Amino acid sequence: MLTFDLHDTTAVVTGGSSGIGLATARLFLRAGAAVALCGRDEARLQAAQRQLLEEFPQARLLAHACDVLQREQVEGFARRVEERFGGADVLVNNAGQGRVSTFADTSDEAWTEELRLKFFSLVYPTRAFLPLLQRSGKAAVVCVNSLLALQPEAHMVATSAARAGTQNLIRSMATEFAPLGIRVNSILIGLVESGQWQRRFEAREDKSVGWAQWTAALAARKGIQLGRLGKPEEAAQAIFFLGTPLSSYTTGGHVDVSGGLARHI
Ligand code: NDP
């Protein structure tokens, strides 16, 4: 099991109440960091908090309801983190979800919504936490992005285009923030078992098919070379690497977490 002493670190995870974000919060807590997480649904957030406090009774943990697309709510979250922990060293921009739609069936409203989600879920938290990160001396921003940024899928046309755009934005932020002592990187994930896939599994047509069989068939259909979906913990480990001094000489880069789904070199 990966461990690392982060008692002097505060990590902020957007979308920390489920899936990859929750696994990331767990990893930082295990290493002794203070963790602040947000999500929109209060009940889900409270459940995540209870679960983490059960696992880490001594945890320095803040769970704050906040929609990353509401600028004032994000600013309020940053103020609470500062009041509670005095600053922030790591920002994990993770909140979000994908959109399944082809060019033919994506309306103007759907395009606007998707572009707004993908861009502003990075812009608002990064802007709000920037003053805190600047004071850190070891700051890192890690953005959870998708392999779709480099390898688009026609059935997720708007998400793919938006992911390519944000990958470009992430590179520019790395350039602008390097003199401020802030590293900026991303992970590019393929298919990771979490809320999104759980929801699609629950909506499957043939209810006699179980989770293991359904995900194995999905991995085969997609051509995932490792033959399975990724675990949220596997994405979290890459986030942890990019968020901590383990990657102190890496900025403007990305780590592939796609199980060999990526076809480019
Ligand atoms: P989950 O659905 O398990 O978790 C998503 C988290 O984000 C939840 O905590 C959710 O809480 C939160 N969230 C969503 N929208 C907002 C919002 N507007 N403001 C604040 N919080 C929000 O999904 P994953 O763990 O799979 O997803 C994590 C990230 O990885 C997402 O950005 C997703 O698009 C990306 N990704 C995932 C892939 C996968 O295969 N799993 C593939 C490619 C990318 P709540 O709903 O209560 O707000």
Side-chain angles (χ1 to χ4, degrees), residues 224-239:
I224 299 176
Q225 291 173 345
L226 294 186
R228 61 175 178 83
L229 270 59
K231 308 269 183 217
E233 303 74 38
E234 293 173 312
Q237 284 169 22
I239 294 169

Side-chain angles (χ1 to χ4, degrees), residues 14-21 38-41 44 66-69 94-98 117-118 144-146 163 189-197 199:
T14 70
S17 59
S18 170
I20 295 166
C38 79
R40 293 164 302 179
D41 186 280
R44 196 191 333 230
C66 157
D67 181 342
V68 290
L69 298 184
N94 163 73
Q97 61 189 38
L117 170 64
K118 294 299 182 290
V144 175
N145 209 345
S146 165
R163 292 295 194 187
I189 53 181
L191 278 62
V192 171
E193 288 179 10
S194 58
Q196 299 192 35
W197 289 108
R199 286 190 289 277

